[in-house]
């Protein structure tokens, strides 16, 4: 399976001709181009930086074979679209072509008690090859080889991120959700959390557009 990193929380996954896009939000400049090449879109939760609702709705109109999977709130926003929009929750399995994802977790990480805390699901791809947690430090309770780790946002904390990586126990970590950190902040975070830091696990910073083999 190949992973292409896009800005912020969006990634494209490809295996044997099947392409999935996860979390094409408004902070991702090339989200429309990524979705245009996808067979399916997976959304972790309804926040705009993960789910550009107008973009995804337009893609559903333009691409008659496109399917979208997300929380009940995401599905309600898009409507049924002839059975091509699917609400998913923890315990579900999504299969698109040669790629399979299991669904994990329930809620977005708490930002503040005064703010709504929406549903949030994570996707475990290809028998543990990759886990995208959305906006939550939820351990899927299954082996994970590569963990996509959110490192900036109003809910993130370095100490909790370190404990999360330790709980998941991946072989490799790739930073996502990084746009609220400067370059210095991203490098500092990678040092604190990485192989020589709190987790002992290699942590990669991938520039948007870079593709790696998983």
């Amino acid at each position: 399976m190949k992973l292409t990193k896009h800005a912020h929380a969006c990634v494209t996954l490809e295996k044997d001709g099947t392409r999935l896009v996860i979390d094409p939000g408004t902070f991702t400049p090339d989200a429309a181009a990524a979705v245009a090449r996808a067979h399916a879109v997976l959304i972790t939760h309804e926040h705009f930086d993960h789910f550009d609702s107008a973009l995804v709705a337009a893609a559903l109109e333009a691409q008659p074979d496109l399917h979208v999977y997300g929380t009940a709130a995401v599905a309600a926003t898009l409507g049924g679209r002839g059975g091509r929009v699917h609400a998913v929750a923890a315990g579900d399995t999504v299969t698109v072509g040669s790629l399979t994802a299991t669904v994990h977790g329930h809620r977005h990480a708490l930002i503040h008690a005064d703010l709504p805390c929406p549903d949030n699901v994570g996707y475990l791809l290809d028998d543990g090859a990759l886990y995208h947690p959305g906006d939550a430090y939820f351990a899927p309770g299954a082996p994970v080889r590569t963990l996509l780790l959110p490192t900036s946002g109003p809910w993130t904390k370095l100490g909790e991120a370190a404990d999360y990586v330790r709980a998941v126990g991946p072989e490799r970590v790739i930073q996502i959700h990084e746009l609220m950190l400067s370059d210095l902040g991203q490098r500092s975070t990678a040092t604190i959390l990485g192989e020589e830091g709190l987790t002992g696990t290699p942590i990669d910073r991938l520039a948007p557009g870079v593709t790696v083999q998983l």
Side-chain angles (χ1 to χ4, degrees):
M1 183 170 66
K2 293 190 295 185
L3 175 145
T4 299
K5 174 76 171 66
H6 303 282
H8 203 52
C10 183
V11 296
T12 293
L13 302 170
E14 183 178 358
K15 181 181 179 182
D16 298 333
T18 299
R19 289 191 184 92
L20 302 182
V21 173
I22 304 179
D23 280 4
T26 59
F27 289 177
T28 303
D30 63 342
V35 171
R37 297 189 296 270
H39 297 96
V41 174
L42 278 56
I43 307 292
T44 62
H45 65 287
E46 65 206 69
H47 285 163
F48 64 89
D49 56 328
H50 295 254
F51 173 44
D52 185 334
S53 58
L55 184 156
V56 176
L60 283 163
E61 290 295 323
Q63 299 163 239
D65 294 328
L66 182 69
H67 284 251
V68 177
Y69 301 84
T71 61
V74 168
T77 298
L78 295 172
R81 307 279 176 162
R84 293 186 294 131
V85 175
H86 312 269
V88 297
D92 289 341
T93 298
V94 174
T95 299
V96 180
S98 56
L99 284 168
T100 297
T102 54
V103 183
H104 302 264
H106 303 278
R107 303 293 284 177
H108 191 286
L110 182 67
I111 298 173
H112 189 276
D114 290 349
L115 296 176
C117 192
D119 290 342
N120 177 99
V121 295
Y123 296 101
L124 184 63
L125 276 294
D126 206 26
D127 294 322
L130 178 89
Y131 184 60
H132 192 311
D135 278 4
Y137 292 140
F138 181 88
V144 174
R145 294 194 292 282
T146 298
L147 172 66
L148 301 182
L149 179 68
T151 57
S152 78
W155 59 275
T156 58
K157 296 179 182 179
L158 280 180
E160 291 182 2
D163 288 341
Y164 178 55
V165 174
R166 291 176 180 180
V168 175
E171 299 172 10
R172 176 187 191 183
V173 174
I174 295 173
Q175 282 198 66
I176 62 167
H177 213 283
E178 76 284 358
L179 283 187
M180 294 183 184
L181 293 175
S182 67
D183 180 70
L184 175 61
Q186 291 182 40
R187 287 189 283 114
S188 175
T189 295
T191 299
I192 293 169
L193 295 178
E195 194 165 17
E196 303 301 322
L198 291 171
T199 71
T201 304
I203 183 166
D204 295 330
R205 296 175 59 220
L206 302 182
V210 170
T211 298
V212 295
Q213 189 77 36
L214 300 178

